[in-house]
Amino acid sequence: GLGLASMVIVFFCNSYYIMILVWGLFYLVYSLTDTLPWATCGHSWNTEHCTELFHLELCSNGSTNTSVDSFNVSCTDMANKRSPVIEFWENKVLRLSGDLSEPGEMNWQMILCLVTTWVIVYFCIWKGVKSTGKIVYFTALFPYVVLILMLVHGVTLPGALGGIIFYLKPDWSKLAEAQVWIDAGTQIFFSYAIGLGALTALGSYNRFHNNCYRDAYILAVINSSTSFFSGFVVFSVLGFMASEQGVDISKVAESGPGLAFIAYPKAVTLMPLSPLWATLFFFMLLVLGLDSQFVGVEGFITGILDLFPHPGAGSLRRELTAAVCCVVFCLIDLSMVTQSGMYVFQLFDNYSASGITLLWQAFWECVVIAWVYGADRFMDDVARMIGYRPLPFMKWCWAVVTPLVCVGIFLFHVVNYKPLTYNKTYVYPWWGEAIGWVLALSSMLCIPCTVLYKFLRCKGSFRERWQLLTTPIWGHHHLEY
């Protein structure tokens, strides 16, 4: 059941995550100009409300009748104005409609970017993990070069220090908010690919005696260290942006797609040599996204091939399986290049492969390993692989700490559940949320349904069925010991 659930989650994740790459590629192409198109008004996608000059800080006293100096515009008029960055994002990239039920027409430019991205992904993974592993040497290391370049440039900008101080100075009162814990837990689970099954699938290609225990620590340290380091890059630029606009940094700090496709593009327009920095940023975003997409697609294909094994079938079967999977994913993604595509994307993002689904998955993984299979038995298995027993702390994590954390955040999630909204303004219709819950339950129900199916298929009393179904099936590596 856990295996099926992880396959469903990674299937949905592969379907929608690629859109980050598609938008990144779109911006990358439009960055290759002398003047960035989202820096100015006057384009075909701009409206009469577009303005390049914002001086809302002069209206901070709450008056709506104040006239902004040197611009014969009232504060009321300024409040109705829109930035060219937001208009480029909503009118050119997304071509956003007013409702989930209004798909409108497809954007042919986005379709082109979508097909291009899937072709790149396919030819990076079609030959298997050996070829992917070589490509990852570039895709994993290049972003560090760009991040260092951007940090060196970012800290020299006026206002950068204020942004970094804002980043490093915590607001302890936020710890009392359930949403902070939900977001933190979800981010860590998603960032480490916990519960997705992708790392398990990739790990199946390792040699038996590979030190997976050491690898787990290395993965955690590098992942979190990179996130922490990236924060300096982002907030140095956001501090500069806040300084240029004369507003508090909390006003320009956004999360999700808004940071990558609104806040950062806006900040880049204020820099010298803006097309160069925009090109570097979006190329880095594309390369980073490809890394994550490789892992997800590779994990899903490995699961399919393991589910229907054909010894001696050769690489052609793998290439065809990869091609079919990529085409299916691409067809699903066509719903996200329509005018209501962003609403569809957010449904997938909030329900199918994050939040409660990953917490549910991780909880049952810990229960199965620590309490059904047995934490001590699992420790022995790891010891046979790596030559020594992991720290006892690991056993308590599997048995107690992680399940309690999962249950706690899961309950926080349920108690503090709020209807899904886009951009704090559009509230999803009831049927839209129903689709979201169908996406979530399609993986969550795999576990209890499989348990029920196995019990009904077995013969004997309840105790006999339980004993039969929870007895491990020993493989060759167990029998050797």
Side-chain angles (χ1 to χ4, degrees):
L2 280 163
L4 288 172
S6 65
M7 288 286 283
V8 173
I9 291 173
V10 84
F11 174 82
F12 288 138
C13 191
N14 290 338
S15 299
Y16 84 88
Y17 185 84
I18 194 90
M19 290 308 298
I20 303 289
L21 282 71
V22 173
W23 295 327
L25 180 60
F26 190 87
Y27 270 86
L28 177 62
V29 172
Y30 273 87
S31 299
L32 305 172
T33 55
D34 293 333
T35 306
L36 294 174
W38 57 83
T40 57
C41 296
H43 302 280
S44 58
W45 57 83
N46 293 128
T47 66
E48 65 272 13
H49 297 296
C50 180
T51 182
E52 298 164 33
L53 299 164
F54 272 89
H55 292 269
L56 286 172
E57 71 277 6
L58 301 176
C59 304
S60 57
N61 58 7
S63 170
T64 57
N65 298 318
T66 310
S67 199
V68 180
D69 293 340
S70 68
F71 300 96
N72 193 21
V73 185
S74 70
C75 289
T76 308
D77 292 334
M78 285 299 294
N80 295 325
K81 295 293 183 181
R82 285 162 59 83
S83 163
V85 180
I86 293 175
E87 292 215 332
F88 182 82
W89 170 239
E90 292 189 351
N91 300 347
K92 178 64 176 173
V93 181
L94 301 179
R95 300 188 181 182
L96 199 61
S97 67
D99 194 85
L100 178 63
S101 61
E102 300 171 12
E105 58 186 29
M106 290 186 183
N107 185 342
W108 69 267
Q109 291 175 312
M110 295 302 288
I111 293 174
L112 204 60
C113 289
L114 175 67
V115 173
T116 303
T117 311
W118 271 117
V119 168
I120 293 170
V121 169
Y122 174 72
F123 283 108
C124 287
I125 57 103
W126 68 321
K127 290 293 185 184
V129 289
K130 285 189 177 179
S131 63
T132 309
K134 292 170 185 172
I135 294 162
V136 165
Y137 277 113
F138 171 74
T139 58
L141 297 175
F142 175 75
Y144 286 100
V145 176
V146 179
L147 281 173
I148 291 167
L149 285 173
M150 294 179 83
L151 179 64
V152 170
H153 178 65
V155 294
T156 62
L157 298 170
L161 183 61
I164 291 171
I165 291 171
F166 180 85
Y167 172 52
L168 294 176
K169 190 177 177 182
D171 179 1
W172 298 108
S173 64
K174 293 284 186 183
L175 293 179
E177 295 179 16
Q179 192 59 42
V180 170
W181 292 93
I182 293 166
D183 290 344
T186 302
Q187 174 58 29
I188 285 295
F189 275 65
F190 199 80
S191 181
Y192 289 2
I194 296 170
L196 292 175
L199 291 180
T200 315
L202 292 177
S204 69
Y205 291 100
N206 282 328
R207 293 183 179 87
F208 179 71
H209 293 292
N210 177 67
N211 195 332
C212 56
Y213 180 60
R214 180 199 61 205
D215 289 352
Y217 277 107
I218 292 172
L219 172 73
V221 170
I222 291 177
N223 198 317
S224 292
S225 300
T226 304
S227 297
F228 184 64
F229 175 69
S230 301
F232 288 95
V233 180
V234 171
F235 277 88
S236 63
V237 174
L238 292 180
F240 162 68
M241 187 175 166
S243 172
E244 286 289 301
Q245 294 184 337
V247 296
D248 187 73
I249 190 170
S250 60
K251 305 288 184 189
V252 296
E254 297 191 46
S255 63
L259 176 65
F261 301 110
I262 297 176
Y264 216 94
K266 172 64 180 171
V268 167
T269 62
L270 304 172
M271 296 182 189
L273 299 173
S274 53
L276 171 65
W277 295 108
T279 303
L280 277 174
F281 174 74
F282 288 112
F283 186 63
M284 178 191 74
L285 191 72
L286 188 65
V287 168
L288 278 171
L290 281 170
D291 258 358
S292 300
Q293 195 70 18
F294 291 165
V295 173
V297 178
E298 184 65 57
F300 184 77
I301 292 169
T302 299
I304 293 290
L305 294 175
D306 287 353
L307 199 59
F308 306 103
H310 284 278
S315 62
L316 181 62
R317 178 171 172 263
R318 184 202 156 76
E319 290 168 21
L320 288 172
T321 305
V324 170
C325 288
C326 288
V327 168
V328 170
F329 290 138
C330 192
L331 290 173
I332 294 171
D333 291 331
L334 290 176
S335 66
M336 298 180 207
V337 294
T338 61
Q339 288 178 268
S340 62
M342 188 61 184
Y343 304 128
V344 179
F345 172 85
Q346 202 174 27
L347 270 182
F348 274 79
D349 188 38
N350 277 269
Y351 289 100
S352 68
S354 62
I356 51 172
T357 53
L358 294 183
L359 293 165
W360 174 264
Q361 179 82 354
F363 171 77
W364 286 112
E365 280 185 10
C366 288
V367 168
V368 168
I369 291 295
W371 296 102
V372 180
Y373 183 71
D376 286 314
R377 184 182 279 165
F378 194 72
M379 292 276 273
D380 290 340
D381 290 345
V382 175
R384 286 166 190 151
M385 293 167 69
I386 65 176
Y388 60 93
R389 284 175 70 86
L391 291 172
F393 166 73
M394 298 297 288
K395 182 172 75 173
W396 291 108
C397 278
W398 300 330
V400 180
V401 178
T402 307
L404 285 178
V405 169
C406 289
V407 168
I409 300 176
F410 186 89
L411 292 176
F412 262 155
H413 222 303
V414 173
V415 171
N416 291 276
Y417 178 76
K418 293 174 184 174
L420 185 61
T421 58
Y422 171 71
N423 212 15
K424 299 178 182 176
T425 53
Y426 171 73
V427 180
Y428 278 68
W430 68 268
W431 57 267
E433 284 201 81
I435 292 171
W437 279 107
V438 168
L439 293 174
L441 292 172
S442 60
S443 62
M444 294 170 74
L445 290 178
C446 284
I447 300 166
C449 287
T450 305
V451 171
L452 190 64
Y453 173 76
K454 293 282 186 183
F455 260 99
L456 293 174
R457 286 289 302 269
C458 270
K459 294 179 180 178
S461 66
F462 181 88
R463 186 170 182 175
E464 288 171 339
R465 295 183 189 199
W466 174 260
Q467 195 165 4
L468 177 67
L469 291 172
T470 56
T471 301
I473 300 170
W474 301 116
H476 294 299
H477 52 282
H478 287 105
L479 297 174
E480 285 178 23
Y481 296 93

